[in-house]
Amino acid sequence: MKLEAVIPPLVTPLDTTGELDRRSLERLITRQLAAGADGVFVGGSSGEVALLDTAQRRDLVRTTVAVVGGAVPVLAGAVDTGTRRVVEQARQAAELGADAVVVTAPFYVQPHPDEVLAHFRQVHAAVDVPVIAYDIPSAVGTALAPDLIAALAESETVVALKDSSGDLAKFREVLRRTDLPAFSGSELFADTAVGLGAAGIVPGLGNVDPHGYVRLYRAARAGDIATARAEQDRLAGLFRIVSVADRGRIGFTAGALGAFKAAMALLGIIDCAAVNPPLSPLSADEIRSIAEILVAHGLEPVTAA
Amino acid sequence: MKLEAVIPPLVTPLDTTGELDRRSLERLITRQLAAGADGVFVGGSSGEVALLDTAQRRDLVRTTVAVVGGAVPVLAGAVDTGTRRVVEQARQAAELGADAVVVTAPFYVQPHPDEVLAHFRQVHAAVDVPVIAYDIPSAVGTALAPDLIAALAESETVVALKDSSGDLAKFREVLRRTDLPAFSGSELFADTAVGLGAAGIVPGLGNVDPHGYVRLYRAARAGDIATARAEQDRLAGLFRIVSVADRGRIGFTAGALGAFKAAMALLGIIDCAAVNPPLSPLSADEIRSIAEILVAHGLEPVTAA
Amino acid sequence: MKLEAVIPPLVTPLDTTGELDRRSLERLITRQLAAGADGVFVGGSSGEVALLDTAQRRDLVRTTVAVVGGAVPVLAGAVDTGTRRVVEQARQAAELGADAVVVTAPFYVQPHPDEVLAHFRQVHAAVDVPVIAYDIPSAVGTALAPDLIAALAESETVVALKDSSGDLAKFREVLRRTDLPAFSGSELFADTAVGLGAAGIVPGLGNVDPHGYVRLYRAARAGDIATARAEQDRLAGLFRIVSVADRGRIGFTAGALGAFKAAMALLGIIDCAAVNPPLSPLSADEIRSIAEILVAHGLEPVTAA
Amino acid sequence: MKLEAVIPPLVTPLDTTGELDRRSLERLITRQLAAGADGVFVGGSSGEVALLDTAQRRDLVRTTVAVVGGAVPVLAGAVDTGTRRVVEQARQAAELGADAVVVTAPFYVQPHPDEVLAHFRQVHAAVDVPVIAYDIPSAVGTALAPDLIAALAESETVVALKDSSGDLAKFREVLRRTDLPAFSGSELFADTAVGLGAAGIVPGLGNVDPHGYVRLYRAARAGDIATARAEQDRLAGLFRIVSVADRGRIGFTAGALGAFKAAMALLGIIDCAAVNPPLSPLSADEIRSIAEILVAHGLEPVTAA
């Protein structure tokens, strides 16, 4: 398995009854592969991982593995609070055919870094597929420090890092100190990350504009900084869709994930913008604002806002 | 079901292989009931809820329901990141015979208060047993504000509150504004909470010294403030066991939960002080310090430290 | 100097030009003493300490000392980021006649507890008046742990503690472990604090209703719990004035301090509700809401809202 | 006044009695100018701004202005909790000859963004020298959002931004949305910032290795990415001096600023590594570790560790 380039963290399409919408998922994956994605990551933060029940998660991985058909690696989130729970999820994902599992630090509990290290080691020892470390302090409250990441790399406990910390100084330290393939989860400095040696990018906004991030990645990889930066600037404008929601009525997560799905529904990539409970849906006005942002950035809605 | 008085949040005893130790659990419950507990709460923070896998959780609730045999209410934590996952856990607990489920705000995601309200409403609508709101911002990052708790009370979405916020001003506001039975999770101002009208107390340290908290509760309920306070002061001294662990080596959670279990093993309440991964065990020196604190507070170890 | 009972943290009255309004300050102090205050604290958080310039602060302490005329102790905040700056402020306050200075942990910098201890020791060594430790983690980002407070008490570095942490468990630990006179800054559990042995209370809301907190204190001190609690409940209702401001337009500090001043202007205690820049003023609607809350709690405005 | 390129935030050299060491300051400035600094910034976070008293601050600005003699702009921090206090400091700095003042969001108080905006506007209106916005949420608890910075830029309230947020996504948004000269305070991605269009860099580590950051800046400005990155990587290694201090004994601020000063004393740039109270000094062992790191990065101590 070769992990590199553009690996979008797929949203989990739902139908109007709230169940997994397999046809939309299939369409989404097909479009991603056609656009040039080099892998897919299901059950990450953009995929509402914290809100999926066991059946949805199983259905999601199974369907994804089937649709992808081995064309690219399938990464599956095994995101949970404690080691035994992560092992449970990771084994299930591996049995369903995922090629690797993506694992965060424990949360709800307050661990010492040595306990975080033990967590990754025990997950690694218990599952038959490679483990990817997922650094997302905004969700789990614990950052993976460079020393910890270096220890994970040296012991071959993990095969890659997905960095959603927003902390470029740390990302560079990991690149400098280890050979671990490091993926940036940033929508907003993906070109910088690739220019600095990132193995690839995992941008949530790639659900909405896969071609944009593929162009960005290829330009940055080729050393064409100006092209990569122009693409990045355009995508940063597009990313404003995550800020249209009225935060007096709806939380940060619903505002961001709902915007991805609303944009994708407008673009015909998925059928329905529904999100899992308890997230609130966007309003009609907010969806209209999203449609305007799409148009302003060269993406043409196929359905009315 | 009458919810009141002392409802200890039980630790989850494990054997040396890391599996649920049913005999120790049975002994623990028997001792709690003999000491005067008016309910038991399994699968809470003291019960390592975030670290239990599905089988452990099932085994835990099933065994507890069997041992309790209807003598007092059995509360089971249904603590998870999102609504569908909580419903999944809550239904399982109800099927296994739990009398009520204890539910926190969603976490990992960042919800708006209206989404937190929707979360409780949807869980309530989906399960056949009463729901108890669990306010524990240190673990989930979101506090339940008095307005939200009042809305939960008025709509009869929840039947009680377990407050582990440490915020006495908020606790008093809930008591003043609602008729909701409110339980304090504080080890350190349980007497104050009862004096102010708390329906009961849910102290983790009650695992170690059930008689102490029963005495405290009864004195406070009877208005014997001096006796209650003297007991509280003694228990505050005992609570220092959670601070003996070297925080340069072991996290806050392991230090606290490990101390409860180490003390219980010393006192012969459970056989083994093992905690779930990835928590680190206490050192022999730390366990000796715990033994000394026990002795200093009138609890005599039956096994060597 | 005897420090005990009710020591309100006075607001700093300003005139319409933004300068210290000495006549209003005189009226405020006179009313406080008539109501039974046993000391006054100027230049605390309720007194906009962070927003006063050198001249305002000097004028404030000088005027207060003159008006009080030795009738009760005058405490002056010496709240600043670092040791030398605090010493500078503390010496000035002492020269102007303050009887004690109130000092927080350093801020802006991120100190180790040993450095916080050194801070208090060096301030104590450098000034000729007693030092009172001020625990207000919401403002300075560092909490004073019980171990630190115990060290300050044992070394006689400070003569009292003002606790604005909101953390009752910690407050009780200080009461249990030290002989240090401990004052609670809580508006909402002042009766509890006194019942547990607090030397006194320092409630910002005491600016608005001094009689209420004096009644509360005396009842609590006399062991008349029911009367103290009834008064506390009434004052908790009155405290809702700090929540009327629209937080979409105005910050937490402006909402709270502006409400104190608006209520005092309505009640004729001060002439003008102005706050120091950059705090925004309350709106006319917000002031009307405050007037309604005053009336509902037995305080009759003498000027129109 | 032209603000660009390398503007180091100078440490404030102290002598063994704790007073400003003017000779060391003169030597430091002379070396910086010789190395190619295009301005100096005194009284910033690296300059212990929060710990300087009025006399030290005055002496610092006066001496710096005299030594620089107009050769490059002198920026002075006017860092304080509230508007009137900042105005007081800013006017003093302007009177002493500073060319611009550097101002953070208010702190200790909790302001709304509109109040932060008002703060900058009122400071700007009250002082005769240009204002530079200083974004340092780790110290003041409030981040300057891009919308706020854009408003400051459009209204010409500030002439530049010093970004010490560590948030590259935000920094890029400012570069994209405004023409405001933006300086990065990062030691660790200075090359990236310049490559993206930063007007310059303000690295605390520039006190220790001014030549390194000048080389880095010039290479990055010239588009020589490989050279800039190699220099950045070397400087990142050198930056490890801020991590040698034992955090069980000494705070983050003392560890970092003490390391800068210890390295500078070893290199003969300043005479004495003393820091203002209450910061603890580094140990002899820690200073030896710093000496080793210096040597490993091509900087030769002239005094024994």
Side-chain angles (χ1 to χ4, degrees), chain A residues 18-19 45 49-54 56-57 79-85 88-89 106-112 115 119 122 134 136 138-140 247-254 276-280, chain B residues 18-19 45 49-54 56-57 79-85 88-89 106-112 115 119 122 134 136 138-140 247-254 276-280:
Chain A
E19 296 307 318
S45 302
V49 63
L51 307 175
L52 305 177
D53 63 23
T54 306
Q56 284 179 324
R57 203 163 52 224
V79 172
D80 216 322
T81 47
T83 308
R84 291 178 72 115
R85 295 175 69 155
E88 209 173 353
Q89 281 201 30
F107 49 103
Y108 191 91
V109 295
Q110 296 171 50
H112 185 274
E115 294 168 331
H119 176 69
Q122 292 178 50
Y134 188 178
I136 184 163
S138 62
V140 303
R247 295 292 303 281
R249 186 183 57 79
I250 179 172
F252 172 79
T253 304
N276 263 305
L279 302 186
S280 296
Chain B
E19 296 308 317
S45 302
V49 62
L51 308 176
L52 304 177
D53 64 22
T54 307
Q56 284 179 322
R57 204 163 50 224
V79 171
D80 215 321
T81 47
T83 308
R84 291 178 73 115
R85 295 175 69 155
E88 207 172 353
Q89 281 201 31
F107 50 102
Y108 191 89
V109 294
Q110 296 170 51
H112 185 274
E115 294 168 331
H119 175 69
Q122 292 178 51
Y134 189 178
I136 185 163
S138 62
V140 302
R247 295 290 303 281
R249 185 183 57 78
I250 179 172
F252 171 80
T253 303
N276 263 306
L279 302 186
S280 296

Side-chain angles (χ1 to χ4, degrees), chain C residues 50 54 80-81 85 88 248 253, chain D residues 50 54 80-81 85 88 110 112:
Chain C
T54 306
D80 215 322
T81 47
R85 295 175 69 154
E88 208 173 352
T253 303
Chain D
T54 307
D80 215 321
T81 47
R85 296 174 67 153
E88 208 172 353
Q110 296 171 51
H112 185 274

Side-chain angles (χ1 to χ4, degrees), chain B residues 10-25:
Chain B
L10 302 184
V11 306
T12 300
L14 303 178
D15 62 26
T16 52
T17 71
E19 296 308 317
L20 183 71
D21 175 352
R22 294 197 194 103
R23 280 187 38 206
S24 287
L25 177 60

Side-chain angles (χ1 to χ4, degrees), chain A residues 179-233:
Chain A
D179 291 327
L180 195 67
F183 290 78
S184 172
S186 174
E187 275 89 0
L188 297 171
F189 53 80
D191 60 335
T192 299
V194 175
L196 288 165
I201 58 176
V202 189
L205 187 64
N207 283 283
V208 178
D209 191 355
H211 294 281
Y213 280 103
V214 169
R215 282 193 299 266
L216 178 155
Y217 174 79
R218 291 179 181 170
R221 179 62 79 210
D224 180 355
I225 293 175
T227 299
R229 191 178 305 170
E231 193 64 51
Q232 179 66 83
D233 285 350

Side-chain angles (χ1 to χ4, degrees), chain D residues 74-196:
Chain D
V74 173
L75 282 52
V79 171
D80 215 321
T81 47
T83 308
R84 292 177 73 115
R85 296 174 67 153
V86 170
V87 167
E88 208 172 353
Q89 282 201 30
R91 283 180 175 160
Q92 187 191 67
E95 280 161 21
L96 294 169
D99 297 297
V101 289
V102 184
V103 174
T104 70
F107 50 102
Y108 191 90
V109 294
Q110 296 171 51
H112 185 274
D114 290 349
E115 294 168 331
V116 178
L117 188 57
H119 176 69
F120 281 106
R121 285 194 169 144
Q122 292 179 51
V123 172
H124 168 64
V127 298
D128 290 332
V129 293
V131 175
I132 296 169
Y134 188 178
D135 188 21
I136 185 163
S138 63
V140 302
T142 295
L144 304 182
D147 283 350
L148 173 62
I149 296 169
L152 292 172
E154 281 155 31
S155 57
E156 302 190 350
T157 303
V158 304
V159 298
L161 169 72
K162 173 182 187 320
D163 180 310
S164 295
S165 70
D167 182 344
L168 184 71
K170 180 162 74 176
F171 192 70
R172 292 185 70 156
E173 184 170 346
V174 171
L175 292 175
R176 205 168 55 241
R177 289 179 54 181
T178 78
D179 292 327
L180 195 68
F183 290 78
S184 172
S186 174
E187 275 89 0
L188 297 171
F189 53 80
D191 60 335
T192 299
V194 174
L196 289 165

Side-chain angles (χ1 to χ4, degrees), chain C residues 100-162:
Chain C
V101 291
V102 185
V103 174
T104 71
F107 49 102
Y108 191 91
V109 293
Q110 295 171 52
H112 185 275
D114 289 350
E115 294 168 332
V116 178
L117 187 58
H119 176 69
F120 281 106
R121 286 194 167 143
Q122 291 178 51
V123 173
H124 167 65
V127 298
D128 290 332
V129 292
V131 175
I132 297 169
Y134 189 178
D135 188 20
I136 184 162
S138 62
V140 304
T142 295
L144 304 182
D147 283 351
L148 173 62
I149 296 169
L152 292 173
E154 281 155 29
S155 57
E156 301 190 350
T157 304
V158 303
V159 298
L161 169 72
K162 173 181 186 324

